[in-house]
C-alpha cells in the first residue's frame, strides 16, 4: 500500500501558485511533475518551482508511471475531456471548478472514475475548509431557527482583456468563474433548489460580466446571489431565519479575515465564531489524499458537483428563456 501520492500539474496555469504550496504542505503528498504544451515552457516552469520532471505535452504527464494524481487547472471547456483522459489512464484527478460545463460531461467523468476505480474530485476548496463545515452545522443545529433566506455575493475587477474568462469558447463568464461559489455554498448550506431564475449583463466578448440569480425551494426558502467581473472585490454570505442571522465574513477565498458572525433575534450583538487558520487549498489536497489512501468519503462527492453544474446550466437557460427553470 502506498503511503503518499505523487502529484502532476496539467499546465502552468496561474492558479498553480495556490496549489503548489498546498501540495508541499500536505503530509502525504509530493509534487513530482508538470506538463505544458511546449517542452521549453515546461522545463522553465519546473526550474522556477523546483519540480523534478517536466513534460512537453499533456499526454506525457498522463503516461508518467510515477504520477498518481493529476491536477487539472485548464480553461473550463477543457475540464471534462482531460479529466476523463486522466481517469482512463488510471490517475486520480483534482479538477478545478466547475467540474464541467454540462451535466452530460459530469456523467462522463463519474462513469470514467467508476470504471477505473479511481478518485475524481472538484477543486471547490472552500467547502473543504472547517469554516463552512461549522456554518452548516450551526444552521442544522437551529442557530438561526427556521431558515427563510440566504444570500451571497462574489465579485472582483477583471482588468486583463486577454484573460480566458472573457472567452466564450473556453467557458468564460462570471457565473462559471465566480457565481459557482455562491451557488455551491447556498446548496451546501440549504440543499438542492427546486427552481432557479437568472439575469445577466453581457460583455463585449459575449460572456456574462455580471450575473444575478434566485434559487427557490419548495419549502418556501429563497436564495439569492450576484457575481461580476466589473466591480470591486466583494465576498460575503448570510443566512437568516426565524431566530437569528449567520453572516460569513469573506467566504471566498477564505483568508485570515474569514469568520462567522451569529446574531440572535432581538439583539444587535454578534457572536464571533473563529476557526483555526487553515489553508483551504491544503484542505482539499488532504481530502483527496484521505479518499485515496484511507477510503474516506469526500465532503463534496461528484454527485454534488454534478448538481452544481445542473443549477448553473439551469440559471444560464433561464436567462435565455426569460423564465424560471427547474433543476
Amino acid at each position: 500500500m502506498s503511503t503518499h501520492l505523487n502529484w502532476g500539474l496539467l499546465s502552468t496555469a496561474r492558479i498553480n501558485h495556490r496549489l503548489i504550496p498546498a501540495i508541499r504542505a500536505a503530509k502525504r503528498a509530493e509534487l513530482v511533475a508538470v506538463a505544458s504544451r511546449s517542452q521549453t515552457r515546461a522545463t522553465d516552469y519546473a526550474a522556477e518551482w523546483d519540480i523534478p520532471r517536466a513534460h512537453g505535452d499533456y499526454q506525457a504527464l498522463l503516461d508518467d508511471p510515477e504520477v498518481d494524481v493529476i491536477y487539472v487547472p485548464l480553461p473550463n471547456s477543457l475540464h471534462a475531456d482531460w479529466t476523463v483522459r486522466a481517469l482512463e489512464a488510471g490517475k486520480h484527478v483534482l479538477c478545478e471548478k466547475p467540474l464541467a460545463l454540462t451535466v452530460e460531461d459530469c456523467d462522463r467523468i463519474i462513469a470514467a472514475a467508476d470504471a477505473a476505480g479511481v478518485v475524481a474530485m472538484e477543486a471547490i476548496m472552500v467547502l473543504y475548509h472547517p469554516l463552512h463545515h461549522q456554518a452548516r452545522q450551526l444552521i442544522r443545529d437551529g442557530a438561526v431557527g427556521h431558515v427563510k433566506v440566504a444570500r451571497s455575493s462574489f465579485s472582483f475587477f477583471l482588468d486583463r482583456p486577454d484573460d480566458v474568462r472573457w472567452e466564450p469558447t473556453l467557458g468564460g463568464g462570471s457565473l462559471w468563474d465566480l457565481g459557482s461559489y455562491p451557488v455551491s455554498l447556498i446548496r451546501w448550506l440549504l440543499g438542492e433548489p427546486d427552481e432557479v431564475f437568472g439575469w445577466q449583463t453581457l460583455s463585449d466578448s459575449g460572456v456574462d460580466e455580471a450575473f444575478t440569480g434566485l434559487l427557490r425551494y419548495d419549502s418556501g426558502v429563497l436564495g439569492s446571489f450576484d457575481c461580476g467581473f466589473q466591480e470591486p472585490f466583494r465576498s460575503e454570505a448570510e443566512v437568516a431565519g426565524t431566530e437569528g442571522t449567520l453572516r460569513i465574513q469573506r467566504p471566498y477565498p477564505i483568508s485570515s479575515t474569514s469568520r462567522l458572525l451569529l446574531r440572535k433575534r432581538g439583539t444587535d450583538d454578534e457572536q464571533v465564531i473563529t476557526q483555526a487558520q487553515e489553508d483551504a487549498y491544503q484542505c482539499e489536497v488532504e481530502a483527496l489524499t484521505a479518499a485515496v489512501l484511507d477510503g474516506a468519503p469526500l465532503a463534496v462527492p461528484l454527485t454534488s458537483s454534478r448538481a452544481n453544474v445542473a443549477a448553473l446550466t439551469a440559471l444560464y437557460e433561464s436567462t435565455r428563456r426569460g423564465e424560471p427553470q427547474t433543476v
Side-chain angles (χ1 to χ4, degrees):
M1 292 290 291
S2 175
T3 59
H4 76 284
L5 298 177
N6 289 335
W7 288 65
L9 309 175
L10 195 75
S11 92
T12 58
R14 183 180 293 108
I15 191 64
N16 287 358
H17 297 187
R18 297 293 188 98
L19 201 76
I20 289 173
I23 295 172
R24 288 176 169 158
K27 294 179 181 178
R28 297 185 290 173
E30 184 175 354
L31 180 58
V32 300
V34 63
S36 184
R37 288 173 294 178
S38 78
Q39 188 62 55
T40 298
R41 173 58 178 156
T43 300
D44 290 346
Y45 193 87
E48 178 186 358
W49 289 96
D50 193 25
I51 302 172
R53 293 196 298 286
H55 296 291
D57 65 78
Y58 294 159
Q59 186 60 46
L61 180 65
L62 305 190
D63 295 337
D64 188 333
E66 298 301 317
V67 172
D68 303 308
V69 184
I70 302 293
Y71 173 56
V72 179
L74 299 170
N76 295 340
S77 61
L78 302 177
H79 284 183
D81 285 346
W82 280 102
T83 294
V84 169
R85 290 174 68 168
L87 294 169
E88 291 175 342
K91 309 299 186 185
H92 307 288
V93 175
L94 177 65
C95 177
E96 264 306 324
K97 58 83 197 160
L99 182 65
L101 297 179
T102 67
V103 170
E104 292 75 17
D105 276 342
C106 291
D107 290 336
R108 288 175 54 213
I109 291 170
I110 293 171
D114 288 344
V118 292
V119 174
M121 172 180 148
E122 182 187 21
I124 180 72
M125 73 292 184
V126 294
L127 296 187
Y128 284 90
H129 193 279
L131 183 83
H132 292 320
H133 287 252
Q134 177 73 356
R136 184 164 70 169
Q137 193 59 51
L138 284 167
I139 291 168
R140 289 181 172 180
D141 289 344
V144 300
H146 296 293
V147 174
K148 293 298 182 181
V149 295
R151 66 171 185 84
S152 184
S153 299
F154 192 19
S155 67
F156 71 87
F157 200 88
L158 182 60
D159 57 0
R160 295 187 297 273
D162 59 346
D163 194 286
V164 296
R165 287 170 284 195
W166 292 119
E167 178 51 58
T169 63
L170 295 179
S174 66
L175 179 60
W176 284 124
D177 187 62
L178 298 179
S180 59
Y181 286 106
V183 172
S184 65
L185 180 59
I186 292 172
R187 291 179 44 258
W188 169 262
L189 297 174
L190 306 182
E192 303 302 335
D194 296 288
E195 192 175 52
V196 298
F197 191 91
W199 298 266
Q200 64 181 348
T201 300
L202 296 179
S203 68
D204 291 341
S205 71
V207 305
D208 51 293
E209 69 176 35
F211 201 104
T212 293
L214 297 175
L215 289 72
R216 187 191 66 78
Y217 293 78
D218 286 347
S219 64
V221 176
L222 298 175
S224 65
F225 74 93
D226 69 88
C227 58
F229 287 150
Q230 294 292 283
E231 304 150 38
F233 177 78
R234 295 178 302 128
S235 174
E236 54 194 39
E238 181 180 69
V239 178
T242 55
E243 299 300 324
T245 302
L246 180 67
R247 289 198 297 129
I248 308 177
Q249 194 171 68
R250 186 163 173 147
Y252 9 76
I254 294 174
S255 74
S256 60
T257 63
S258 300
R259 58 182 181 169
L260 304 178
L261 301 170
L262 179 63
R263 180 170 58 84
K264 290 294 188 176
R265 187 182 67 185
T267 177
D268 293 330
D269 297 329
E270 287 186 313
Q271 176 188 354
V272 179
I273 303 170
T274 58
Q275 290 288 335
Q277 293 301 314
E278 298 186 37
D279 176 57
Y281 293 91
Q282 185 179 342
C283 288
E284 69 180 0
V285 171
E286 300 277 13
L288 188 144
T289 302
V292 173
L293 299 182
D294 307 328
L298 292 172
V300 186
L302 290 180
T303 51
S304 180
S305 298
R306 180 189 188 277
N308 206 58
V309 171
L312 295 173
T313 54
L315 282 160
Y316 273 125
E317 185 65 17
S318 173
T319 65
R320 286 188 284 269
R321 293 177 177 268
E323 60 186 20
Q325 298 293 300
T326 58
V327 181

